[in-house]
Every structure is written in C-alpha cells, then in structure tokens.
Amino acid sequence: MNSNEPLAFRMRPKTLEEYVGQEHVIGKDKILYRTIKADRLSSIILFGPPGCGKTSLARVISETTKYKFYKINAVTSGVADIKKVVEETKNFMLNPIGKSILFIDEIHRFNKLQQDALLPFVENGTVILIGATTENPYFEVNKALISRSMVIKLNPLTEEDIYHVLKSAVERKDGLGEYNIKIEDETLRKIAAISNGDVRTALNGLEVGTLTTPIAEDGWIHLTDEVIKNSIQNRKAIFDKNGEEHYDNISAFIKSMRGSDPDATIFYLARALNGGEDPLFLARRIVICASEDVGMANPNALVVANAAMQAVHMIGMPEARILLSEAAVYVATSKKSNATYKGINQALEDVQTKDTGEIPMHIRNAPIEKMRELGYSEGYLYPHDFPGNQVEQQYLPDKMLGTKYYQLD
C-alpha cells in the first residue's frame, strides 16, 4: 500500500464491475455501460456534485480503452496542453490509431478561447472528449461542444452506496485492511449519512479517524461514533453559492413561499444561509415574492418584507437569520394573489406591441391656461366633488376601452 496516496484515491475503481452507484447511466443495460465495454465511446460531459464518481468513471475508461488516454486539469492547463495532445495523437509513431481520449477535469474552468481551441479536434474525431464538471454544462460549456457530446448527469451517491465503499475500504489491503480497525456497521452508516452523497468526504473522514486514533491495549483501533464525529465535523452541505446549487436552492426557496409551505421555506432558507448565501440577497427575494405572489391579497406582506430587508442590512448575521425567517414565513403563510403582477406584465406587452392610442384630453396635464383653450384637461371631473369620491369618466385611451388589467383572482 502506498501510504502517500489518500484513501479516496486508492479506493477508486479500476473496472466497471468495481464502480459503485449511478445505475441510471452505468447499469448493465444502459448505453454508457455498453459503449465503455465495447470501447466505442463518443465525447461525453459528466456533471454532478463533488464526490459522485466523475473522475473515477474516467479512470475506469482509461483502464478499458484501446485508445491512448490523456488527462489534464482545466485549472492548470491551457491551449498549449491541448495542442500537445493533438500533436501526439496525430503522430503515427506515437499513436498508430490516430485517435485519443482526452479527459479534462473541471472543464468549466476553461475559458471560451480554450474551449474553441478544442472544438475542431472533437468535431473531426481526433479527440474523444471526456469533460467533468461540478457546474451545469449548459451554462458553462461551449454550445458547440455540448452539441457534439453526450451530457450525462451523475447524482449524489446514496447512503447505501457510500456504506458499501466504506465497508470495502475497511477490509481491502489497499484500503485500511492492514490496520486493526474495529468499527460498527451503524457507525459506518452514520459516516455515509454525514457525507451527503460525497464518497470522498466519507473516505477522508474514515481515514482521518484511523490515522489519528491511538491503538488500544487490545491491539485494535476503535473507531467510535465520537471519533468519527470529531474526524468529519459538521454535516457536509451540498451547496455552492456561486454554482448551479445557488440557482436551484433559491428557486426552491421562492417556490416554497409561493406554494404556502412554511416548513420548506425555512429549510431552503437555512440551506442557503449554511452555504454562505448573502442575507441581503435572500431578503430581496422575499420582498419580490411579497409583491409578486402575495400582492393585494395581503399588502402588509410587502411592508413586513421590506422592513426585514432594512433590518437585515442594519444588523447582519447571525441575528439576521431570525428576521429572514420571520419575513419568509409571513409571506409563505399569507393568502396569495398575482393579479397586479399579471396586470403590469400584460400592460407592458400592450404598450410595447400595440397601437394603444392617445391619452384622453380631459385627463391630460394643463399647467398653462392657453393649453386649456386647446382642450387639455377640459371636462375633467374631480372625483372628490362627487358622492363616495368617485365619478364615472373615461380614463383609458379610446383604442384601449374595455381592457381589463387588474382582475381579481
């Protein structure tokens, strides 16, 4: 066993049979399994959260393909590295097949110029691209590369998958099998639960616990719940305030408020705060929801939301969490109406796309007497001169008469 290599690296699968999880794309009846087994792979882009098996899948491919396999990291590589791979691929002495597989880890870190440099060689088949990214490739990767690749989403591993890997790590000699470890299955399952689908986090925690726990008098390393708790610390949150998770979580937060579910609202608020989301950003979303989704059903929701936003600005975290929770729950539990939202949208569409006519003369402004002589403000009825402070008169242009923008739900 090479003790310099982290446990997570040593436990990476070498064959498809050793690969754990992602049955929806790598199961025996699935296309990716069949193409890897037949070594007929086309360009693919793998995306999913950290620790879900993207790099491990690339390693499996590298062990099974007849093509020369290159691996680069987008953080430390550039156009020159791409050109070097292409030159070696086209060199008959170095690569008689004339085709290679290029694995690019964190491909979303490549800028447009670097991705454009790769495109012609993917297009003509010189290079089979395997890109791995934690970001949604539809947002981060060149559309031309996307159109020439299979895009495969990998999911966080299940707790059962991670438990299986941990159990194997304890038993295998290239894992931790050479250590005398005693650990209950229930403790292994707790590690799997804490890792939130990230097998790398789980293996790192197991390794830290093993290497930092003294051998007991009975000759065993006892990995208890307490040891594991101190080795992994807090439950890993699957959230990136700058990535796709940011957009997914804020979408879920808003839709939970709109859907009148206070428990889901608080959950997604907590998830955002735990992930480092800007409290003022969250406050602004609550203000928008108060107007867009609550509207005239409870106009006070906008007052509460706006007051919370101002208070968050003055107070900051950690107390801001209380203000945000109060405002978000108030919005979530309020009656809902989007009548004003729909009304302004329809009116904007009309003024942008239709001939809506002219403002009636009797409600135009007439700051100068001579303008009255031209008909400006002539015949205007002042509502407060009439019973109930209302009077029937035309307000919409002639061409818009009868149009209804504000319609009660």
Side-chain angles (χ1 to χ4, degrees):
M1 180 178 67
N2 186 349
S3 59
N4 292 323
E5 294 176 345
L7 176 63
F9 182 86
R10 302 197 303 272
M11 291 302 297
R12 282 180 177 171
K14 297 180 178 63
T15 67
L16 278 173
E17 288 67 31
E18 292 179 7
Y19 192 88
V20 176
Q22 311 303 342
E23 290 294 324
H24 66 293
V25 294
I26 206 70
K28 288 189 177 181
D29 60 335
K30 305 299 181 181
I31 187 171
L32 192 54
Y33 178 92
R34 295 187 350 242
T35 54
I36 292 172
K37 275 292 188 181
D39 202 9
R40 302 289 295 176
L41 198 69
S42 59
S43 291
I44 59 173
I45 295 177
L46 307 169
F47 83 102
C52 69
K54 299 183 294 295
T55 305
S56 294
L57 187 53
R59 184 182 182 186
V60 167
I61 293 170
S62 74
E63 297 286 343
T64 58
T65 183
K66 67 177 179 289
Y67 300 116
K68 192 158 186 178
F69 189 93
Y70 295 90
K71 176 184 176 181
I72 63 177
N73 189 298
V75 175
T76 56
S77 305
V79 173
D81 298 280
I82 295 172
K83 288 181 176 179
K84 182 179 178 182
V85 170
V86 171
E87 287 172 2
E88 291 188 10
T89 300
K90 290 182 174 181
N91 188 322
F92 182 77
M93 298 295 293
L94 296 174
N95 188 359
I97 298 177
K99 181 180 286 191
S100 64
I101 294 178
L102 173 60
F103 173 60
I104 304 179
D105 202 6
E106 300 188 79
I107 192 172
H108 63 278
R109 299 293 187 95
F110 263 176
N111 59 34
K112 186 178 184 302
L113 176 64
Q114 291 166 320
Q115 292 186 32
D116 286 346
L118 181 62
L119 179 60
F121 307 109
V122 172
E123 190 171 26
N124 65 24
T126 302
V127 169
I128 298 172
L129 169 68
I130 302 176
T133 173
T134 55
E135 302 296 329
N136 190 322
Y138 294 106
F139 298 148
E140 304 292 340
V141 178
N142 187 319
K143 290 181 180 179
L145 280 178
I146 290 285
S147 69
R148 290 161 177 80
S149 308
M150 285 194 301
V151 177
I152 296 175
K153 187 179 188 305
L154 302 186
N155 300 322
L157 294 182
T158 66
E159 289 183 16
E160 192 62 32
D161 288 336
I162 295 177
Y163 165 76
H164 178 82
V165 174
L166 291 171
K167 188 78 171 173
S168 179
V170 171
E171 296 171 352
R172 278 172 43 175
K173 284 191 176 182
D174 60 343
L176 298 172
E178 293 187 355
Y179 295 87
N180 290 330
I181 297 174
K182 279 194 175 179
I183 183 169
E184 299 292 332
D185 275 3
E186 190 60 33
T187 302
L188 287 175
R189 292 189 181 279
K190 286 181 180 179
I191 300 174
I194 292 170
S195 66
N196 255 11
D198 186 338
V199 71
R200 190 181 299 111
T201 293
L203 288 169
N204 288 345
L206 180 63
E207 185 175 32
V208 168
T210 301
L211 298 179
T212 59
T213 303
I215 300 174
E217 292 182 0
D218 61 1
W220 291 87
I221 296 173
H222 294 270
L223 297 182
T224 63
D225 287 356
E226 187 65 25
V227 170
I228 293 303
K229 178 182 177 182
N230 293 326
S231 299
I232 297 185
Q233 295 298 323
N234 296 328
R235 182 178 177 89
K236 183 176 175 61
I238 305 176
F239 185 88
D240 177 2
K241 65 178 181 178
N242 297 314
E244 183 185 7
E245 279 293 323
H246 159 84
Y247 298 103
D248 288 345
N249 197 80
I250 200 63
S251 174
F253 176 56
I254 292 168
K255 288 170 182 172
S256 297
M257 284 191 290
R258 180 182 298 144
S260 302
D261 188 330
D263 299 306
T265 295
I266 291 176
F267 170 74
Y268 290 114
L269 174 62
R271 201 166 181 265
L273 291 171
N274 186 59
E277 192 67 84
D278 180 4
L280 275 174
F281 171 81
L282 295 168
R284 289 193 293 271
R285 303 282 76 73
I286 297 172
V287 170
I288 293 168
C289 192
S291 180
E292 177 181 338
D293 296 301
V294 176
M296 296 302 292
N298 181 9
N300 195 53
L302 183 57
V303 178
V304 171
N306 192 58
M309 183 174 67
Q310 293 177 12
V312 166
H313 179 70
M314 290 186 293
I315 294 172
M317 288 292 286
E319 289 82 1
R321 76 191 190 283
I322 308 168
L323 307 169
L324 290 168
S325 181
E326 178 183 350
V329 167
Y330 188 90
V331 170
T333 55
S334 290
K335 291 183 177 179
K336 304 297 190 295
S337 170
N338 68 345
T340 55
Y341 167 75
K342 290 195 294 185
I344 188 61
N345 284 351
Q346 184 59 55
L348 283 170
E349 182 179 343
D350 285 350
V351 298
Q352 291 168 0
T353 62
K354 293 182 179 179
D355 177 4
T356 54
E358 296 184 350
I359 299 171
M361 292 296 289
H362 64 280
I363 60 171
R364 294 193 188 187
N365 185 36
I368 301 172
E369 186 61 33
K370 288 289 185 181
M371 293 180 69
R372 288 183 177 274
E373 297 176 5
L374 296 175
Y376 284 78
S377 197
E378 183 68 29
Y380 172 63
L381 303 177
Y382 185 58
H384 296 287
D385 290 340
F386 297 84
N389 302 313
Q390 287 187 329
V391 63
E392 288 290 331
Q393 63 182 322
Q394 181 180 336
Y395 292 99
L396 282 170
D398 290 342
K399 291 186 176 182
M400 300 302 292
L401 283 175
T403 304
K404 297 291 184 183
Y405 291 115
Y406 178 61
Q407 300 187 57
L408 294 177
D409 300 327

